[in-house]
């Protein structure tokens, strides 16, 4: 099965921060093709710039749909501009193409904190069958505007869920999401147990200082 990466950004983060996370991403993906859909032009794989539409869950999903439609692989591996990924994240191959697979080894650095907290699962670390993803998103977008900054938590506002079921997998090393205060949300649901050192990544305060 062919794997490819879809990279999403609203380009609201600090430019140097996004450059650092992209450099790290490129060191991990190997020969996997990348389709990047961003709101400002960048140099990463096949870049599609949609213009400055604003940060919202709706616009994120629309960018995902554009990325999927411009990819040719069987599965798409999600990558976001405010995240760091473990090398083995890009090795996972799902058994099924009709259900999303979400990584359970993920952590979030909450805004203003030097430690990280465990998170259950998230769109930032998942692998999905490309055609299945397109089908789900096209159904959700029926009757909706082209872009929207009002629908922050889409598709909850239309009383729908993005996916009805999930399969899970677990990478050997964690994948990480930074909450810098510049993105759509300053905080993210997670447990409240501080973690000061992560396998592969090391000291969390030093990691934050390196990238932020």
């Amino acid at each position: 099965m062919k794997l490819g990466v879809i990279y999403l950004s609203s380009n609201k983060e600090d430019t140097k921060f996004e450059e650092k996370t992209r450099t790290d991403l490129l060191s991990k993906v190997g020969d996997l093709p990348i389709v990047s859909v961003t709101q400002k032009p960048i140099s990463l794989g096949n870049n599609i710039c949609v213009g400055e539409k604003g940060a919202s869950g709706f616009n994120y999903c629309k960018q995902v749909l554009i990325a999927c439609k411009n990819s040719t692989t069987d599965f798409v591996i999600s990558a976001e501009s405010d995240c760091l990924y473990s090398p083995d994240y890009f090795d996972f191959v799902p058994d099924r193409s009709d259900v999303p697979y979400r990584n359970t080894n993920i952590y979030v650095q909450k805004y203003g904190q030097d430690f990280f907290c465990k998170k259950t699962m998230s769109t930032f670390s998942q692998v999905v069958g490309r055609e299945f993803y397109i089908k789900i998103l096209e159904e959700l977008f029926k009757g909706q505007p082209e872009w929207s900054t009002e629908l922050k938590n889409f598709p909850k506002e239309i009383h729908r869920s993005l996916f009805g079921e999930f399969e899970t997998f677990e990478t050997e090393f964690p994948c990480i999401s930074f909450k810098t205060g510049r993105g759509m949300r300053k905080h993210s649901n997670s447990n409240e147990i501080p973690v000061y050192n992560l396998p592969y990544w090391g000291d969390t305060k030093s990691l934050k200082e390196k990238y932020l």
Side-chain angles (χ1 to χ4, degrees):
M1 292 291 184
K2 289 179 63 180
L3 299 171
V5 178
I6 55 171
Y7 173 92
L8 295 310
S9 178
S10 60
N11 301 102
K12 300 301 182 185
E13 302 287 352
D14 178 78
T15 302
K16 291 184 178 179
F17 168 59
E18 288 202 14
E19 287 174 352
K20 290 176 182 178
T21 59
R22 286 200 301 272
T23 297
D24 185 80
L25 176 69
L26 285 169
S27 74
K28 309 289 178 57
V29 298
D31 295 330
L32 295 180
I34 301 173
V35 175
S36 60
V37 180
T38 56
Q39 296 192 17
K40 293 181 181 179
I42 64 169
S43 177
L44 182 66
N46 173 21
N47 179 238
I48 300 164
C49 177
V50 298
E52 297 188 43
K53 307 299 183 182
S56 68
F58 186 94
N59 290 347
Y60 168 83
C61 287
K62 180 57 68 74
Q63 287 179 235
V64 169
L65 179 59
I66 293 169
C68 287
K69 285 187 170 182
N70 283 275
S71 178
T72 59
T73 57
D74 299 308
F75 293 94
V76 289
I77 305 170
S78 294
E80 297 181 15
S81 61
D82 57 356
C83 299
L84 295 174
Y85 295 94
S86 65
D88 56 314
Y89 172 58
F90 300 97
D91 297 330
F92 175 73
V93 181
D95 294 322
R96 296 170 56 186
S97 61
D98 60 345
V99 65
Y101 284 74
R102 286 192 173 172
N103 182 18
T104 57
N105 191 6
I106 60 174
Y107 286 79
V108 59
Q109 177 266 315
K110 296 184 179 181
Y111 180 62
Q113 297 177 339
D114 289 332
F115 54 83
F116 290 68
C117 293
K118 186 78 166 61
K119 188 173 174 67
T120 304
M121 62 175 68
S122 174
T123 55
F124 84 78
S125 189
Q126 67 177 7
V127 185
V128 187
R130 185 179 67 86
E131 292 184 357
F132 168 72
Y133 213 168
I134 290 172
K135 180 181 178 181
I136 291 293
L137 289 170
E138 286 187 331
E139 181 64 29
L140 290 174
F141 282 126
K142 285 182 180 178
Q144 299 299 320
E146 185 175 4
W147 300 95
S148 172
T149 55
E150 300 300 319
L151 299 173
K152 296 287 187 183
N153 298 306
F154 183 82
K156 290 181 180 179
E157 292 95 338
I158 60 171
H159 309 292
R160 302 280 293 277
S161 59
L162 184 56
F163 299 113
E165 62 174 316
F166 302 95
E167 294 286 346
T168 61
F169 69 102
E170 186 167 304
T171 52
E172 180 180 2
F173 303 116
C175 297
I176 296 169
S177 173
F178 291 95
K179 294 300 177 184
T180 65
R182 290 174 175 265
M184 186 170 64
R185 297 183 183 91
K186 288 186 177 181
H187 303 288
S188 178
N189 292 331
S190 67
N191 69 29
E192 297 300 323
I193 302 171
V195 176
Y196 295 95
N197 195 285
L198 288 172
Y200 179 81
W201 300 104
D203 174 66
T204 55
K205 182 178 180 180
S206 298
L207 184 66
K208 177 186 173 184
E209 291 174 349
K210 176 181 178 181
Y211 282 91
L212 299 181

